[in-house]
Amino acid sequence: MPGVYARRFGVLATAATLAATALLNAPAAQAAPPTPMSASAARTWLAGVTPKAEGSSSGYSRDLFPHWSTVSGTCNTRETVLKRDGVNVVTDASCAATSGSWYSAYDGATWYAGSDLDIDHVVALSEAWRSGAASWTTAKRQQFANDLTRPQLIAVTDNVNQAKGDLDPADWMPPLASYRCTYARMWVHVKQYWGLTIDSDEKAALTSALSGC
């Protein structure tokens, strides 16, 4: 019997070694914004939305959406998102990212310098203004502009974010087609939570994107 126990112990030890090796060699988990509502929930909510024409941009200013707010210590919202969305991110005493890697879900590019990325407001600040935020208090607009709880902020390639500007899904979707379902879910989640309106072209584009999810 001692030989049987020895063999059993050896098998268990080998299995444990293999499991540990697999964990060490496993790819790093891809960081990402908070998970948006499911496609089915997004479709259900969107189906019940009565479209409303966008309001005016009159009076809009980014200064009316104060950002980036301090999150903790020397870290503001931008640096917090960079650290969240990157892999092996190292920061200095001022919380600025000094190294790491970032995968931009909008276009599939990988970057190794934080300066190559923008933090995109999925629902742009000016889009929010035209969709109801013009009537909010500045404090509420600040909460929206720094929302880390909903899928409203994401680190992406800077020039892709600049190409998006303040366009809604009727006029812009991520170049990487495989991410459009997730993006539509993110957009709907943010608009639903914050009580922002959706116009008819926007609803049609979102409905189309979610139909393939």
Side-chain angles (χ1 to χ4, degrees):
M1 293 302 291
V4 172
Y5 289 126
R7 286 195 299 273
R8 184 177 298 169
F9 179 80
V11 169
L12 291 173
T14 300
T17 300
L18 289 173
T21 301
L23 287 172
L24 288 172
N25 293 332
Q30 179 61 53
T35 302
M37 65 168 61
S38 67
S40 60
R43 286 193 294 265
T44 298
W45 181 80
L46 193 61
V49 169
T50 299
K52 182 177 181 180
E54 283 191 351
S56 169
S57 293
S58 177
Y60 167 74
S61 167
R62 288 179 66 85
D63 293 340
L64 294 172
F65 292 79
H67 62 288
W68 303 106
S69 297
T70 299
V71 175
S72 176
T74 58
C75 299
N76 64 20
T77 311
R78 172 183 163 79
E79 299 298 349
T80 299
V81 174
L82 276 177
K83 189 170 183 179
R84 181 198 70 190
D85 289 1
V87 175
N88 298 324
V89 178
V90 176
T91 57
D92 61 19
S94 64
C95 204
T98 57
S99 64
S101 65
W102 291 266
Y103 173 80
S104 170
Y106 284 2
D107 59 335
T110 298
W111 302 97
Y112 298 94
S115 58
D116 288 324
L117 297 117
D118 281 352
I119 306 304
D120 179 40
H121 289 95
V122 172
V123 175
L125 304 182
S126 54
E127 164 70 20
W129 177 269
R130 298 189 298 269
S131 303
S135 65
W136 294 353
T137 63
T138 300
K140 184 173 180 179
R141 287 192 290 264
Q142 181 173 12
Q143 292 171 356
F144 175 81
N146 297 276
D147 188 1
L148 292 165
T149 305
R150 265 62 55 181
Q152 162 68 344
L153 299 171
I154 183 172
V156 295
T157 303
D158 53 6
N159 61 353
V160 172
N161 181 51
Q162 290 151 24
K164 172 190 171 182
D166 65 352
L167 301 177
D168 71 27
D171 298 305
W172 188 92
M173 289 290 276
L176 192 63
S178 61
Y179 197 70
R180 291 174 184 172
C181 174
T182 301
Y183 182 79
R185 291 163 52 207
M186 294 165 73
W187 185 280
V188 170
H189 188 143
V190 172
K191 284 229 162 172
Q192 184 270 341
Y193 178 83
W194 287 97
L196 296 169
T197 62
I198 288 180
D199 65 44
S200 56
D201 289 344
E202 180 184 354
K203 179 176 179 177
L206 288 165
T207 300
S208 177
L210 290 166
S211 68
C213 296

